[in-house]
């Protein structure tokens, strides 16, 4: 079993809520609110009734922007760590484990998601 880095886990979690057009995922530079909330609830980091804390972490990391890039993601992990009385590194390891489960589930189903490039998108279309 291979391990994911934090950046690879960010890409996996970001890919869970990407919009598709004719079966091809549209590229995105970061994680939006829907991706972040889905990552938090899917990994059971926050319970559904703690949705506000999840969004506070998003808003605190992005400073009001609508997209969270990787550096903002790391800040969000620190904010979540303060909510959970843990370190941001521990939260990152927890989300990396959750992303690894997603990868394993997708590979068992035969779904392979790779980072989209211009050439691979042309091939898919």
């Amino acid at each position: 079993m291979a391990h994911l880095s934090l950046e690879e886990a960010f890409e996996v979690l970001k890919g869970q809520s990407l919009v598709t057009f004719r079966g091809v995922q549209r590229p995105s530079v970061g994680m939006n609110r829907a991706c972040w909330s889905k990552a938090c609830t899917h990994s059971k980091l926050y319970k559904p009734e703690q949705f506000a804390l999840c969004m506070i972490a998003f808003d605190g990391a992005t400073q009001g922007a609508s997209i969270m890039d990787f550096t903002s993601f790391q800040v969000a992990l620190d904010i979540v760590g303060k909510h959970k009385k843990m370190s941001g590194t521990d939260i990152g390891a927890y989300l990396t484990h959750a992303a690894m489960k997603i990868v394993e589930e997708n590979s068992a189903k035969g779904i392979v998601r790779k980072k989209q490039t211009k050439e691979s998108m042309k091939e898919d279309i």
Side-chain angles (χ1 to χ4, degrees):
M1 172 167 65
H3 296 285
L4 295 175
S5 67
L6 185 60
E7 194 164 359
E8 291 169 335
F10 172 73
E11 291 294 326
V12 169
L13 295 172
K14 177 180 81 170
Q16 290 300 302
S17 295
L18 286 179
V19 178
T20 58
F21 177 72
R22 294 184 181 173
V24 178
Q25 286 185 342
R26 291 185 175 187
S28 174
V29 294
M31 188 181 286
N32 61 12
R33 287 178 173 274
C35 292
W36 174 250
S37 63
K38 188 171 183 177
C40 288
T41 55
H42 179 68
S43 65
K44 298 181 180 153
L45 193 58
Y46 286 111
K47 295 177 183 174
E49 60 268 9
Q50 296 175 319
F51 184 74
L53 287 175
C54 178
M55 290 298 107
I56 287 171
F58 183 88
D59 290 335
T62 60
Q63 299 294 316
S66 61
I67 299 291
M68 178 189 305
D69 61 354
F70 182 67
T71 56
S72 300
F73 178 70
Q74 292 173 320
V75 173
L77 294 180
D78 290 333
I79 293 170
V80 171
K82 289 178 185 174
H83 291 165
K84 298 290 185 178
K85 297 183 174 117
M86 298 170 70
S87 70
T89 308
D90 292 339
I91 299 297
Y94 185 80
L95 284 177
T96 302
H97 178 71
M100 191 63 209
K101 283 180 158 180
I102 293 169
V103 169
E104 289 173 355
E105 289 171 3
N106 287 344
S107 65
K109 294 176 186 175
I111 301 170
V112 177
R113 290 190 177 140
K114 58 186 186 279
K115 192 171 182 178
Q116 294 287 332
T117 62
K118 196 172 191 177
E119 291 76 27
S120 67
M121 288 174 66
K122 285 180 183 177
E123 290 173 7
D124 290 340
I125 290 174

